[in-house]
Amino acid sequence: MDLTKELAPFFDETRARFIELSDEIWRYAELRYEEWDSARYHRKMLEDEGFRITPDLAGMPTAFHAEAGDGGPVIAILGEFDALPGLSQQSGALARVAAPETGDNGHGCGHHLLGAGAHWAAVAVKRYLARHGLPGQIRFYGCPAEEGGSGKTFMAKAGAFDRLDAALSWHPDYETGVVTAVTLANLQVQFRFNGVASHAALAPHLGRSALDAVELMNVGVNYLREHMPGDARVHYAITNSGGASPNIVPAQAAVLYLIRSPSNETTRRLYERVCDVARGAALMTGCRVDIEFEKACSNLVFNRTLADAMHDSLIQIGEPTFEQHEVDAARAVQRTFSDDERQALLAEAGTAEMPAIGPLLAYRPEQTRLSFASSDVGDVSWVVPTAQCVTACYAYGTAFHSWQMVAQGKSALAHKGLEAAAKVLALTAIDLLSKPQRLAEAKAELIARGGGPGYQSPIPDGVAPALKSGVTHRTA
Ligand SMILES: [Zn+2]
């Protein structure tokens, strides 16, 4: 029997429950490492479904996995559920209006959909294996803190993805397709400068300004940019400006750096150079600098074998079709884009008119391109063969981490993309569980690309996850 037809009644029966799950996680809008209600909601549903829960992975209370099935290969489906600060936005609004129910936060990267779709797929696979009495294990991973925390990298370092045969995931997007782009490695580090406070007018000679050190460090790094690899990226945010009083020499100031490049090794070398600039700034200003490594994630290792398997599933499900009301809603969102955004999107689409909703992307696995984003899925991809897809959940061109993305998080289109992703993941997992040869090929490919058992975490020993996001937790 055609697998898509066999699974259709399951998706019809369970649709309302998983849309509700996604919408609830949207409303919780919890930040990295504080996804208490989101993780609890997922875990309760998985327990009720008969999954065996392993909590507190890598010492993180909102990280867990839920497993079902026996014997055979083990396939992981990765879920996320963290939101972003400062992006509170009313659902469906066509202008920037904060939503009281989500506090200051908002799901600006669609991780409420990501987690719900992955969870939905895991349940589909569990029921399929049980109905047919087949060997095989399916594991849903509740992965916290993708945004600014690299939860999966800490999980990978702790061995949470060892002994898996494959890992599958997806991300909400404005197009549909199997991901063939690879993401950058990154590394996040806090530079805390300590100087001496003093009256800025009466005794400036006795003061040593930590804010001066931050400014000089930033100037130094801006000069460094000309002499670093062209595909590397360095960003910073001043996290402590030293206070609001200009008549006191600031004794403490801090700046947070995020350094990215296509490989862990290049990122680490660039990090050493940025540390030298920080030490130079400290020397120039008579301050002391404390360097606190926060987190890192690896570049993504593409796996052609698994991507092919996922693409086969996507083709079986077929090209998505859209209702007129979904097209109209997408056009209304696009009218909120700036002229600059519109121009850039037209160039990207390569067409005279922007599509309302993105089409099915051409599958070109032989041409992996560099995406300048980073993801902690990168570390999973070094340990176990990994494939990802995207599905159209938003109006074409919707910027990630924007209010427009938050506003569309509970739309009919978002729910349609959620279901499409759950189907692709479920079909791919079922297919792989019945084809050990394909899994063996995927593993051999990973090893040929330098991954596998020798995985080295980009996070140094002794660095623990920063379990506080620094932003006040809102209770749902
Ligand atoms: Zn994301």
Side-chain angles (χ1 to χ4, degrees), residues 80 82 108-111 114 146-147 171-172 400-401:
E80 298 169 10
D82 58 327
C109 208
H111 294 179
L114 200 170
E146 196 281 328
E147 301 288 358
H171 203 289
F400 287 81
H401 299 194

